[in-house]
Amino acid sequence: GENVEQHPSTLSVQEGDSAVIKCTYSDSASNYFPWYKQELGKGPQLIIDIRSNVGEKKDQRIAVTLNKTAKHFSLHITETQPEDSAVYFCAASAAEGAQKLVFGQGTRLTINP
Amino acid sequence: ETGVTQTPRHLVMGMTNKKSLKCEQHLGHNAMYWYKQSAKKPLELMFVYNFKEQTENNSVPSRFSPECPNSSHLFLHLHTLQPEDSALYLCASSQATGGYEQYFGPGTRLTVT
């Protein structure tokens, strides 16, 4: 089955700097890769996703890149702000309709003012 | 908020108790999910329901019994749980066909004593 590895487990950056979180996956059939942000006391919130037919997707300060050959994908956050502090999860799915998401272990991102 | 609500938000139960978790989605979706989030472990998919029918059981012990009476409501019935079942239980919903994005509720924090 699919296995997703996420690094680093913790990340601390200065406000205004960029943050990068990386994930690798094992199943070459995976075709959907979402990123979730989880704040304290809340459920995960979908922030961006990418499908296997594109290599990069951007949404304001957030971007995701996908390298299918190497089976890894990354989340890039630019101009970080204190409200970006949270736990971020990557996931992958090869199932129809992406119903069987396999998650990474999570990255605790702290933005230092 | 995401349009997926869960009750109760916190639950403490003894190993011999029977309790139920409730999830309701207000997004017009027709697929619903239960996930388990334990400390230091990735989110684990437990069950998937499409159009009220269970389509995935990820080898979950029988002490967890899901119920989906309609596409908007999902329950997780709990009985004779073990302390290691203490975790955050998250409900999510999505479109069953043609849709990928899963939207999560805030979760129920369960403690088994």
Side-chain angles (χ1 to χ4, degrees):
Chain A
E2 175 68 283
N3 182 55
V4 177
E5 298 286 336
Q6 182 173 346
H7 298 281
S9 57
T10 61
L11 179 61
S12 183
V13 301
Q14 289 297 120
E15 182 178 354
D17 288 350
S18 296
V20 180
I21 303 171
K22 299 181 179 181
C23 289
T24 61
Y25 61 98
S26 61
D27 188 347
S28 57
S30 287
N31 55 18
Y32 176 66
F33 308 91
W35 286 89
Y36 285 85
K37 174 184 181 182
Q38 188 172 25
E39 298 174 284
L40 196 62
K42 297 184 178 181
Q45 176 189 5
L46 178 68
I47 56 171
I48 195 167
D49 58 11
I50 193 168
R51 301 187 191 183
S52 59
N53 56 348
V54 298
E56 183 175 3
K57 183 176 179 180
K58 293 184 72 174
D59 183 3
Q60 298 182 9
R61 297 187 296 109
I62 294 174
V64 57
T65 58
L66 171 65
N67 184 327
K68 286 209 70 180
T69 303
K71 290 191 283 191
H72 66 71
F73 57 112
S74 301
L75 177 70
H76 304 254
I77 306 174
T78 59
E79 302 173 18
T80 53
Q81 300 168 4
E83 53 265 36
D84 294 329
S85 294
V87 180
Y88 291 80
F89 294 93
C90 64
S93 177
E96 179 67 26
Q99 292 200 318
K100 297 182 189 177
L101 288 176
V102 176
F103 283 83
Q105 298 91 331
T107 296
R108 182 172 298 280
L109 175 64
T110 301
I111 308 301
N112 301 307
Chain B
E1 292 299 313
T2 62
V4 181
T5 58
Q6 291 188 242
T7 55
R9 294 294 308 275
H10 301 271
L11 178 63
V12 179
M13 60 185 290
M15 289 164 48
T16 58
N17 290 160
K18 290 184 179 181
K19 296 287 184 183
S20 295
L21 310 184
K22 179 183 177 181
C23 175
E24 183 173 2
Q25 60 92 4
H26 311 274
L27 300 170
H29 291 159
N30 38 43
M32 297 188 78
Y33 311 76
W34 280 116
Y35 286 86
K36 177 182 179 182
Q37 186 174 33
S38 306
K40 301 185 179 181
K41 289 183 71 176
L43 279 87
E44 301 172 74
L45 178 65
M46 300 175 69
F47 301 102
V48 180
Y49 277 82
N50 283 290
F51 299 100
K52 306 186 299 178
E53 299 297 320
Q54 187 182 120
T55 54
E56 182 74 18
N57 177 336
N58 198 20
S59 302
V60 181
S62 60
R63 57 186 184 269
F64 295 91
S65 176
E67 177 190 3
C68 188
N70 55 62
S71 293
S72 298
H73 294 86
L74 184 64
F75 295 88
L76 189 62
H77 304 299
L78 316 171
H79 62 98
T80 59
L81 294 191
Q82 306 298 311
E84 59 265 29
D85 296 322
S86 298
L88 182 69
Y89 289 85
L90 290 157
C91 173
S93 71
S94 75
Q95 293 295 348
T97 55
Y100 284 64
E101 297 86 358
Q102 292 186 23
Y103 296 88
F104 284 82
T108 294
R109 174 69 62 187
L110 173 67
T111 302
V112 181
T113 60

